[in-house]
Amino acid sequence: MARIAQLAGIDKSEKMLKENDNFLHNRKRRSSRNFALEHFIAQHRSAYTVLEQCKEYIPKFQLPSENTRVNYFLDAIEKTDSELLANIALVRADKDATGKMNNFEGATSYIIPADPVAKRKTNRNKRPAAEIAATKNSPKLYSRNRENCSRVEVE
């Protein structure tokens, strides 16, 4: 809040409010190869936080409810992955007062594990697992230096 007051007050708040409200309503998350769902969630959190801060200078503005916020988020995700679609459907079905449709953090924490981008990044092995060439009790070890490779006997 101090940042907004420091910048310019009402004029700057109105501009920031418009930009961040537009983000919540219109930004779409396409399933690309590198843009993880966690980053999109962080952007949504940030935009909502700015709206909360702007409300101090523009009291007529009405913040979106938790249900509306979750709906904006779910509508913004372009879905192709079946597991992600299933998790989104389960979130939409949980409409109790304490359910995921009324809790942004609960909804996002339920959907994140189904993110195909994050799964693809964690499943990709750049290098194979390390293999142990010899142990201390092995009869022969191989020593490698810059000049040559020589066999060293271990007693």
PDB file of all heavy atoms in Angstrom, residues 69-86:
ATOM      1  N   ARG A  69     -13.230 -15.276  -8.232  1.00  0.00           N
ATOM      2  CA  ARG A  69     -11.796 -15.366  -8.478  1.00  0.00           C
ATOM      3  C   ARG A  69     -11.414 -16.754  -8.995  1.00  0.00           C
ATOM      4  O   ARG A  69     -10.641 -16.885  -9.949  1.00  0.00           O
ATOM      5  CB  ARG A  69     -11.086 -15.063  -7.160  1.00  0.00           C
ATOM      6  CG  ARG A  69      -9.629 -14.843  -7.268  1.00  0.00           C
ATOM      7  CD  ARG A  69      -9.075 -14.417  -5.918  1.00  0.00           C
ATOM      8  NE  ARG A  69      -7.636 -14.468  -5.958  1.00  0.00           N
ATOM      9  CZ  ARG A  69      -6.873 -14.599  -4.913  1.00  0.00           C
ATOM     10  NH1 ARG A  69      -7.404 -14.680  -3.710  1.00  0.00           N
ATOM     11  NH2 ARG A  69      -5.574 -14.641  -5.030  1.00  0.00           N
ATOM     12  N   VAL A  70     -11.960 -17.800  -8.382  1.00  0.00           N
ATOM     13  CA  VAL A  70     -11.681 -19.161  -8.832  1.00  0.00           C
ATOM     14  C   VAL A  70     -12.245 -19.370 -10.238  1.00  0.00           C
ATOM     15  O   VAL A  70     -11.595 -19.982 -11.089  1.00  0.00           O
ATOM     16  CB  VAL A  70     -12.248 -20.203  -7.841  1.00  0.00           C
ATOM     17  CG1 VAL A  70     -12.134 -21.612  -8.394  1.00  0.00           C
ATOM     18  CG2 VAL A  70     -11.533 -20.108  -6.501  1.00  0.00           C
ATOM     19  N   ASN A  71     -13.435 -18.844 -10.502  1.00  0.00           N
ATOM     20  CA  ASN A  71     -14.020 -18.971 -11.838  1.00  0.00           C
ATOM     21  C   ASN A  71     -13.156 -18.284 -12.891  1.00  0.00           C
ATOM     22  O   ASN A  71     -12.936 -18.837 -13.969  1.00  0.00           O
ATOM     23  CB  ASN A  71     -15.437 -18.397 -11.876  1.00  0.00           C
ATOM     24  CG  ASN A  71     -16.464 -19.439 -11.543  1.00  0.00           C
ATOM     25  OD1 ASN A  71     -16.405 -20.555 -12.056  1.00  0.00           O
ATOM     26  ND2 ASN A  71     -17.396 -19.082 -10.689  1.00  0.00           N
ATOM     27  N   TYR A  72     -12.673 -17.081 -12.611  1.00  0.00           N
ATOM     28  CA  TYR A  72     -11.787 -16.379 -13.542  1.00  0.00           C
ATOM     29  C   TYR A  72     -10.557 -17.236 -13.842  1.00  0.00           C
ATOM     30  O   TYR A  72     -10.128 -17.371 -14.984  1.00  0.00           O
ATOM     31  CB  TYR A  72     -11.315 -15.043 -12.981  1.00  0.00           C
ATOM     32  CG  TYR A  72     -12.339 -13.944 -12.931  1.00  0.00           C
ATOM     33  CD1 TYR A  72     -12.160 -12.870 -12.078  1.00  0.00           C
ATOM     34  CD2 TYR A  72     -13.477 -13.952 -13.730  1.00  0.00           C
ATOM     35  CE1 TYR A  72     -13.080 -11.834 -12.017  1.00  0.00           C
ATOM     36  CE2 TYR A  72     -14.402 -12.924 -13.676  1.00  0.00           C
ATOM     37  CZ  TYR A  72     -14.198 -11.875 -12.819  1.00  0.00           C
ATOM     38  OH  TYR A  72     -15.113 -10.856 -12.764  1.00  0.00           O
ATOM     39  N   PHE A  73      -9.985 -17.799 -12.782  1.00  0.00           N
ATOM     40  CA  PHE A  73      -8.783 -18.603 -12.922  1.00  0.00           C
ATOM     41  C   PHE A  73      -9.039 -19.854 -13.766  1.00  0.00           C
ATOM     42  O   PHE A  73      -8.294 -20.145 -14.705  1.00  0.00           O
ATOM     43  CB  PHE A  73      -8.246 -18.981 -11.541  1.00  0.00           C
ATOM     44  CG  PHE A  73      -7.135 -19.977 -11.581  1.00  0.00           C
ATOM     45  CD1 PHE A  73      -5.896 -19.632 -12.079  1.00  0.00           C
ATOM     46  CD2 PHE A  73      -7.334 -21.272 -11.141  1.00  0.00           C
ATOM     47  CE1 PHE A  73      -4.869 -20.558 -12.130  1.00  0.00           C
ATOM     48  CE2 PHE A  73      -6.326 -22.201 -11.190  1.00  0.00           C
ATOM     49  CZ  PHE A  73      -5.092 -21.847 -11.693  1.00  0.00           C
ATOM     50  N   LEU A  74     -10.091 -20.582 -13.447  1.00  0.00           N
ATOM     51  CA  LEU A  74     -10.386 -21.822 -14.176  1.00  0.00           C
ATOM     52  C   LEU A  74     -10.748 -21.546 -15.632  1.00  0.00           C
ATOM     53  O   LEU A  74     -10.369 -22.306 -16.526  1.00  0.00           O
ATOM     54  CB  LEU A  74     -11.510 -22.591 -13.489  1.00  0.00           C
ATOM     55  CG  LEU A  74     -11.201 -23.121 -12.082  1.00  0.00           C
ATOM     56  CD1 LEU A  74     -12.417 -23.826 -11.506  1.00  0.00           C
ATOM     57  CD2 LEU A  74      -9.992 -24.029 -12.078  1.00  0.00           C
ATOM     58  N   ASP A  75     -11.483 -20.464 -15.875  1.00  0.00           N
ATOM     59  CA  ASP A  75     -11.852 -20.111 -17.243  1.00  0.00           C
ATOM     60  C   ASP A  75     -10.642 -19.691 -18.072  1.00  0.00           C
ATOM     61  O   ASP A  75     -10.656 -19.801 -19.299  1.00  0.00           O
ATOM     62  CB  ASP A  75     -12.887 -18.989 -17.253  1.00  0.00           C
ATOM     63  CG  ASP A  75     -14.231 -19.437 -16.722  1.00  0.00           C
ATOM     64  OD1 ASP A  75     -14.485 -20.665 -16.674  1.00  0.00           O
ATOM     65  OD2 ASP A  75     -15.034 -18.557 -16.343  1.00  0.00           O
ATOM     66  N   ALA A  76      -9.600 -19.210 -17.410  1.00  0.00           N
ATOM     67  CA  ALA A  76      -8.413 -18.720 -18.112  1.00  0.00           C
ATOM     68  C   ALA A  76      -7.486 -19.845 -18.560  1.00  0.00           C
ATOM     69  O   ALA A  76      -6.627 -19.627 -19.404  1.00  0.00           O
ATOM     70  CB  ALA A  76      -7.635 -17.760 -17.216  1.00  0.00           C
ATOM     71  N   ILE A  77      -7.676 -21.046 -18.027  1.00  0.00           N
ATOM     72  CA  ILE A  77      -6.795 -22.156 -18.380  1.00  0.00           C
ATOM     73  C   ILE A  77      -7.337 -22.843 -19.629  1.00  0.00           C
ATOM     74  O   ILE A  77      -8.456 -23.343 -19.633  1.00  0.00           O
ATOM     75  CB  ILE A  77      -6.708 -23.183 -17.229  1.00  0.00           C
ATOM     76  CG1 ILE A  77      -6.161 -22.532 -15.973  1.00  0.00           C
ATOM     77  CG2 ILE A  77      -5.826 -24.354 -17.638  1.00  0.00           C
ATOM     78  CD1 ILE A  77      -6.224 -23.422 -14.755  1.00  0.00           C
ATOM     79  N   GLU A  78      -6.530 -22.846 -20.681  1.00  0.00           N
ATOM     80  CA  GLU A  78      -6.896 -23.602 -21.878  1.00  0.00           C
ATOM     81  C   GLU A  78      -6.430 -25.031 -21.660  1.00  0.00           C
ATOM     82  O   GLU A  78      -5.248 -25.299 -21.495  1.00  0.00           O
ATOM     83  CB  GLU A  78      -6.276 -22.971 -23.114  1.00  0.00           C
ATOM     84  CG  GLU A  78      -6.886 -21.625 -23.416  1.00  0.00           C
ATOM     85  CD  GLU A  78      -6.408 -21.039 -24.727  1.00  0.00           C
ATOM     86  OE1 GLU A  78      -5.565 -21.653 -25.397  1.00  0.00           O
ATOM     87  OE2 GLU A  78      -6.902 -19.952 -25.060  1.00  0.00           O
ATOM     88  N   LYS A  79      -7.394 -25.928 -21.655  1.00  0.00           N
ATOM     89  CA  LYS A  79      -7.146 -27.291 -21.211  1.00  0.00           C
ATOM     90  C   LYS A  79      -7.024 -28.256 -22.387  1.00  0.00           C
ATOM     91  O   LYS A  79      -7.835 -28.228 -23.292  1.00  0.00           O
ATOM     92  CB  LYS A  79      -8.289 -27.756 -20.308  1.00  0.00           C
ATOM     93  CG  LYS A  79      -8.694 -26.758 -19.261  1.00  0.00           C
ATOM     94  CD  LYS A  79     -10.185 -26.878 -19.002  1.00  0.00           C
ATOM     95  CE  LYS A  79     -10.824 -25.694 -18.399  1.00  0.00           C
ATOM     96  NZ  LYS A  79     -10.914 -24.503 -19.165  1.00  0.00           N
ATOM     97  N   THR A  80      -6.017 -29.124 -22.317  1.00  0.00           N
ATOM     98  CA  THR A  80      -5.888 -30.205 -23.280  1.00  0.00           C
ATOM     99  C   THR A  80      -5.548 -31.516 -22.588  1.00  0.00           C
ATOM    100  O   THR A  80      -5.858 -32.574 -23.101  1.00  0.00           O
ATOM    101  CB  THR A  80      -4.788 -29.907 -24.315  1.00  0.00           C
ATOM    102  OG1 THR A  80      -3.570 -29.645 -23.621  1.00  0.00           O
ATOM    103  CG2 THR A  80      -5.144 -28.698 -25.173  1.00  0.00           C
ATOM    104  N   ASP A  81      -4.946 -31.441 -21.436  1.00  0.00           N
ATOM    105  CA  ASP A  81      -4.516 -32.629 -20.713  1.00  0.00           C
ATOM    106  C   ASP A  81      -5.696 -33.237 -19.955  1.00  0.00           C
ATOM    107  O   ASP A  81      -6.440 -32.527 -19.269  1.00  0.00           O
ATOM    108  CB  ASP A  81      -3.395 -32.255 -19.739  1.00  0.00           C
ATOM    109  CG  ASP A  81      -2.830 -33.455 -19.030  1.00  0.00           C
ATOM    110  OD1 ASP A  81      -2.197 -34.282 -19.706  1.00  0.00           O
ATOM    111  OD2 ASP A  81      -3.039 -33.561 -17.804  1.00  0.00           O
ATOM    112  N   SER A  82      -5.868 -34.545 -20.044  1.00  0.00           N
ATOM    113  CA  SER A  82      -7.027 -35.196 -19.429  1.00  0.00           C
ATOM    114  C   SER A  82      -6.991 -35.132 -17.899  1.00  0.00           C
ATOM    115  O   SER A  82      -8.025 -34.931 -17.260  1.00  0.00           O
ATOM    116  CB  SER A  82      -7.129 -36.648 -19.892  1.00  0.00           C
ATOM    117  OG  SER A  82      -5.962 -37.358 -19.537  1.00  0.00           O
ATOM    118  N   GLU A  83      -5.816 -35.279 -17.304  1.00  0.00           N
ATOM    119  CA  GLU A  83      -5.723 -35.208 -15.840  1.00  0.00           C
ATOM    120  C   GLU A  83      -6.032 -33.795 -15.342  1.00  0.00           C
ATOM    121  O   GLU A  83      -6.723 -33.618 -14.338  1.00  0.00           O
ATOM    122  CB  GLU A  83      -4.339 -35.641 -15.367  1.00  0.00           C
ATOM    123  CG  GLU A  83      -4.227 -35.717 -13.858  1.00  0.00           C
ATOM    124  CD  GLU A  83      -2.861 -36.162 -13.379  1.00  0.00           C
ATOM    125  OE1 GLU A  83      -1.998 -36.507 -14.219  1.00  0.00           O
ATOM    126  OE2 GLU A  83      -2.658 -36.163 -12.153  1.00  0.00           O
ATOM    127  N   LEU A  84      -5.555 -32.793 -16.058  1.00  0.00           N
ATOM    128  CA  LEU A  84      -5.848 -31.408 -15.704  1.00  0.00           C
ATOM    129  C   LEU A  84      -7.348 -31.136 -15.831  1.00  0.00           C
ATOM    130  O   LEU A  84      -7.949 -30.504 -14.966  1.00  0.00           O
ATOM    131  CB  LEU A  84      -5.043 -30.455 -16.587  1.00  0.00           C
ATOM    132  CG  LEU A  84      -5.177 -28.963 -16.304  1.00  0.00           C
ATOM    133  CD1 LEU A  84      -4.707 -28.633 -14.893  1.00  0.00           C
ATOM    134  CD2 LEU A  84      -4.396 -28.159 -17.319  1.00  0.00           C
ATOM    135  N   LEU A  85      -7.966 -31.627 -16.889  1.00  0.00           N
ATOM    136  CA  LEU A  85      -9.416 -31.480 -17.061  1.00  0.00           C
ATOM    137  C   LEU A  85     -10.185 -32.138 -15.927  1.00  0.00           C
ATOM    138  O   LEU A  85     -11.165 -31.584 -15.424  1.00  0.00           O
ATOM    139  CB  LEU A  85      -9.849 -32.095 -18.397  1.00  0.00           C
ATOM    140  CG  LEU A  85      -9.554 -31.294 -19.647  1.00  0.00           C
ATOM    141  CD1 LEU A  85      -9.760 -32.160 -20.877  1.00  0.00           C
ATOM    142  CD2 LEU A  85     -10.464 -30.090 -19.705  1.00  0.00           C
ATOM    143  N   ALA A  86      -9.742 -33.312 -15.514  1.00  0.00           N
ATOM    144  CA  ALA A  86     -10.411 -34.017 -14.420  1.00  0.00           C
ATOM    145  C   ALA A  86     -10.302 -33.239 -13.115  1.00  0.00           C
ATOM    146  O   ALA A  86     -11.294 -33.109 -12.375  1.00  0.00           O
ATOM    147  CB  ALA A  86      -9.815 -35.413 -14.265  1.00  0.00           C
TER     148      ALA A  86
END
